[in-house]
Amino acid sequence: MKKLMLSVVVLGLLAGCASQGTKDQAVVEERGTGATTAGMEGKGVGMDPLHDPSNILSKRSVYFDFDKYEVKDEYKPLVEAHAKYLSGNKAASVVLQGNADERGSREYNLALGQRRAEAVKKMMNVLGVSDSQMETVSFGEEKPVAECHEESCWSQNRRTDIVYKGE
Amino acid sequence: MKRLFAFQYAVRHWLQGLAAMAFLAAGGAQAALTIDIVGSGATQIPVAIVPFAQENMLSQSLTGVVGADLTRSGLFKMVDTAGITPPPSQPNEVRYPDFRGRGADAIVIGAVATQPDGRLNVQFRLLDAARQTQLLGLSYTVAPTQLRQTAHRIADAIYEKLTGDVGVFSTKIAYILKRGKRYELQVADADGYGPQTVLASNEPIISPAWSADGSKLAYVSFEQKKPIVYVQNLANGQRRVLSAFKGNNSAPAWSPDGSKLAVVLTLEGHSQIYSLNADGSGLKRLTNSPLVDTEPNFSPDGQWIIFTSDRSGGPQIYRMPASGGSATRLTFEGSYNVTPRYAPDGKSFAFIQRSNGSFNVAVQDFATGQVQVLTDTKLDESPSFAPNGKMILYATEIRGRGTLAAVSSDGRVKQRLSEMSGDVREPAWGPLVK
């Protein structure tokens, strides 16, 4: 006779450890408060250049090809503008958030997102921005801004976002 | 076992294109998980399962669960026993010609009795219909709450006796369920029943990994706004941070003896593989490449680690000694091969291969290098072997929704497990229950 030894497995529910949701990254871009002290150096009527729609600095996303992490030529002016701003505003700092589209492995995409963040960081480094003003993080494929399952969405999700601290 | 959700369960089985039979085991009112099976084994053993004597007093059908388990493997064909009256529950009551006439090779009979202490005694026998001999006879005394587990144990015993392989119906699976903005790490029975949420968060959770003894899960949670690796004890729910270094902490993999974990860190900017003792001490770098190294996975003997690296330009699978050192490239077909996972016998590995824009589960034999693509879905991820090596559980997408699926390691049997209320991804099949 064989006895079953089946203990009751109590799986602790750790909902208390769960944190509140972050703002969607796309929303972060639109909701900038413009409250950075760096913005005071901007010309004109006090419009923060980081949020002036006519200023290239209001553009924050560098997009990539599938499984690639080279910054394409069309995004170099954008990266250069932010590098120039950071070089002139030593108090400002950014988090470079790398992302990937949903296809393939989540872990590989986490690594790929990191490469995309690092690629922007390296370019900024070369342009004179100090390491202390930049931090990289990857969200892999976990934080898509567009949720459909085709290239029109995927192309929006393969990107590095330049997010200024305090925004 | 505590049931958090009531489940209805349906198995549809197509045998060579014909709808051969349908099971509907007793469950609750709310449908949540459906398993569809397509295809069958090269040979299917016809088994007649006679409802056990006194089974109708139970809250659910024992033999229904046994039959569903065996059917789901694709290796058995259920023989209809309706009309065999009275249904036999003892060997001397079996009229073998009744069963041979219906094509049965094996017969399962049994009986359930309530003991004075309220526990149930379940006896069953497996009979050889042709030789008219008993192949197996077992008796279980269990609490009424352990009925499903008992049915899985019976199915495991039958499976092992008739196929020669270990049954995995008593094992567990872990996966991530995403509902709206909420992520839940759940552990359920291998047939999807009895899901329990072991972690809930409003930030992503990925990469659950079972310790070899099944007592712990390592996983990656973004709850601190960046990926950090935790280890959680499943018995008491307690957990601790394993790895929270600067940058990303991800891709945990247990060594088979449970003493170490491999993790992926970005201490120098790009993803590299490190090892840690299970208590988080003893950080050691295992790879040293200028590009991405990730997704480590230990060989069953603990001697090797296979992993994904894009050192050749695109992601390919490599193997290195578990203590680090020079790596050998293993995959050469196609430009995108990721997520390698050793088969339990160590002779092959499963991985995801991109071909013609589609991401599929494939298996490569170590000795011959031969690759077999097993699936025809489009966006497969996260292959995970059953502990007997016969099935591979993976994540895919069907009609825009994340779904779990499984395929036999020979590609013949395919299952789809759909959760009705959200996206399911990142499956990890747990070890054999000791």
Side-chain angles (χ1 to χ4, degrees), chain A residues 31 60 106 125 141 146 160 162:
Chain A
R31 272 196 199 160
R60 305 298 186 80
R106 289 177 187 274
N125 260 151
E141 63 175 274
T160 293
I162 302 168

Side-chain angles (χ1 to χ4, degrees), chain A residues 24-64:
Chain A
D24 186 277
Q25 293 310 311
V27 178
V28 169
E29 287 187 39
E30 291 160 11
R31 272 196 199 160
T33 59
T36 56
T37 51
M40 297 302 287
E41 294 175 20
K43 294 226 167 74
V45 293
M47 179 65 138
D48 178 349
L50 295 174
H51 301 98
D52 176 354
S54 66
N55 193 314
I56 191 170
L57 290 172
S58 68
K59 294 191 182 356
R60 305 298 186 80
S61 295
V62 176
Y63 296 92
F64 296 83

Side-chain angles (χ1 to χ4, degrees), chain A residues 14 31 44 52 59 61 74 80 108 116 119 125 132 145 157:
Chain A
L14 290 182
R31 272 196 199 160
D52 176 354
K59 294 191 182 356
S61 295
E74 59 185 295
E80 284 162 3
Y108 183 71
R116 287 173 177 159
N125 260 151
S132 62
V145 295
N157 294 332

Side-chain angles (χ1 to χ4, degrees), chain B residues 224-240:
Chain B
Q224 300 297 321
K225 313 299 181 201
K226 70 170 217 171
I228 287 176
V229 178
Y230 297 82
V231 170
Q232 183 162 331
N233 182 314
L234 292 176
N236 60 19
Q238 289 179 349
R239 68 170 190 169
R240 57 188 170 74

Side-chain angles (χ1 to χ4, degrees), chain B residues 288-431:
Chain B
N288 202 332
S289 79
L291 297 167
V292 167
D293 292 333
T294 187
E295 303 189 302
N297 182 247
F298 281 88
S299 61
D301 65 5
Q303 300 296 302
W304 301 94
I305 288 175
I306 48 176
F307 62 100
T308 306
S309 175
D310 64 1
R311 58 187 70 184
S312 69
Q316 298 290 345
I317 313 298
Y318 291 77
R319 178 172 63 180
M320 67 177 171
S323 55
S326 68
T328 309
R329 182 172 168 178
L330 300 175
T331 51
F332 295 91
E333 287 181 22
S335 59
Y336 189 103
N337 294 301
V338 296
T339 326
R341 297 286 183 253
Y342 268 99
D345 68 3
K347 290 178 180 165
S348 62
F349 62 98
F351 61 107
I352 299 295
Q353 180 169 75
R354 176 175 183 254
S355 177
N356 299 321
S358 153
F359 297 76
N360 294 107
V361 178
V363 171
Q364 180 168 327
D365 185 88
F366 276 106
T368 65
Q370 196 170 351
V371 174
Q372 187 185 2
V373 176
L374 301 180
T375 61
D376 50 14
T377 28
K378 285 278 179 208
L379 292 168
D380 301 348
E381 297 178 9
S382 309
S384 176
F385 271 100
N388 66 0
K390 295 299 167 186
M391 297 292 289
I392 299 166
L393 185 63
Y394 64 100
T396 190
E397 196 180 271
I398 294 166
R399 290 183 292 277
R401 199 207 293 268
T403 297
L404 300 189
V407 61
S408 60
S409 46
D410 63 5
R412 287 178 161 274
V413 183
K414 294 185 171 79
Q415 307 171 356
R416 285 171 187 174
L417 301 77
S418 359
E419 163 70 44
M420 308 310 281
S421 63
D423 285 297
V424 196
R425 72 271 292 262
E426 299 287 274
W429 204 319

Side-chain angles (χ1 to χ4, degrees), chain B residues 41-359:
Chain B
T43 57
Q44 287 190 314
I45 302 168
V47 180
I49 302 180
V50 181
F52 292 175
Q54 305 302 314
E55 187 181 356
N56 54 11
M57 71 175 186
L58 303 175
S59 56
Q60 60 185 321
S61 163
L62 261 183
T63 48
V65 175
V66 174
D69 279 349
L70 295 175
T71 301
R72 214 168 56 248
S73 74
L75 302 180
F76 299 89
K77 181 168 60 176
M78 293 301 117
V79 173
D80 188 7
T81 62
I84 297 181
T85 49
S89 64
Q90 297 297 323
N92 60 7
E93 297 167 0
V94 175
R95 295 186 307 273
Y96 284 96
D98 287 353
F99 292 92
R100 290 301 288 162
R102 293 167 188 238
D105 284 354
I107 305 164
V108 178
I109 57 173
V112 181
T114 306
Q115 297 191 153
D117 64 2
R119 293 196 297 166
L120 298 168
N121 179 258
V122 181
Q123 294 182 19
F124 88 96
R125 294 168 202 271
L126 175 66
L127 308 172
D128 183 324
R131 295 196 181 87
Q132 306 192 5
T133 54
Q134 178 172 315
L135 297 171
L136 193 64
L138 290 171
S139 168
Y140 305 86
T141 301
V142 299
T145 51
Q146 295 175 323
L147 272 178
R148 285 198 76 87
Q149 279 78 359
T150 307
H152 294 319
R153 292 287 170 127
I154 292 171
D156 282 339
I158 295 169
Y159 181 96
E160 183 162 358
K161 195 70 190 176
L162 295 181
T163 69
D165 293 313
V166 178
V168 294
F169 305 117
S170 299
T171 56
K172 303 261 184 202
I173 56 173
Y175 53 87
I176 311 299
L177 171 62
K178 185 184 181 221
R179 285 191 276 220
K181 296 282 180 195
R182 183 178 168 87
Y183 299 81
E184 293 177 40
L185 171 57
Q186 293 194 332
V187 173
D189 293 349
D191 62 358
Y193 267 78
Q196 298 200 34
T197 299
V198 302
L199 178 73
S201 176
N202 291 325
E203 294 293 333
I205 307 166
I206 61 170
S207 306
W210 292 87
S211 62
D213 65 0
S215 69
K216 300 183 200 77
L217 276 178
Y219 54 81
V220 177
S221 171
F222 287 68
E223 65 201 57
Q224 300 297 321
K225 313 299 181 201
K226 70 170 217 171
I228 287 176
V229 178
Y230 297 82
V231 170
Q232 183 162 331
N233 182 314
L234 292 176
N236 60 19
Q238 289 179 349
R239 68 170 190 169
R240 57 188 170 74
V241 170
L242 176 80
S243 170
F245 294 98
K246 170 178 169 280
N248 305 327
N249 301 260
S250 70
W254 294 85
S255 66
D257 66 3
S259 67
K260 286 186 161 56
L261 288 98
V263 294
V264 170
L265 307 177
T266 56
L267 292 175
E268 293 179 20
H270 62 296
S271 301
Q272 293 284 287
I273 300 171
Y274 294 74
S275 74
L276 287 167
N277 295 326
D279 65 2
S281 67
L283 180 68
K284 184 188 173 205
R285 186 167 176 177
L286 298 183
T287 58
N288 202 332
S289 79
L291 297 167
V292 167
D293 292 333
T294 187
E295 303 189 302
N297 182 247
F298 281 88
S299 61
D301 65 5
Q303 300 296 302
W304 301 94
I305 288 175
I306 48 176
F307 62 100
T308 306
S309 175
D310 64 1
R311 58 187 70 184
S312 69
Q316 298 290 345
I317 313 298
Y318 291 77
R319 178 172 63 180
M320 67 177 171
S323 55
S326 68
T328 309
R329 182 172 168 178
L330 300 175
T331 51
F332 295 91
E333 287 181 22
S335 59
Y336 189 103
N337 294 301
V338 296
T339 326
R341 297 286 183 253
Y342 268 99
D345 68 3
K347 290 178 180 165
S348 62
F349 62 98
F351 61 107
I352 299 295
Q353 180 169 75
R354 176 175 183 254
S355 177
N356 299 321
S358 153
F359 297 76

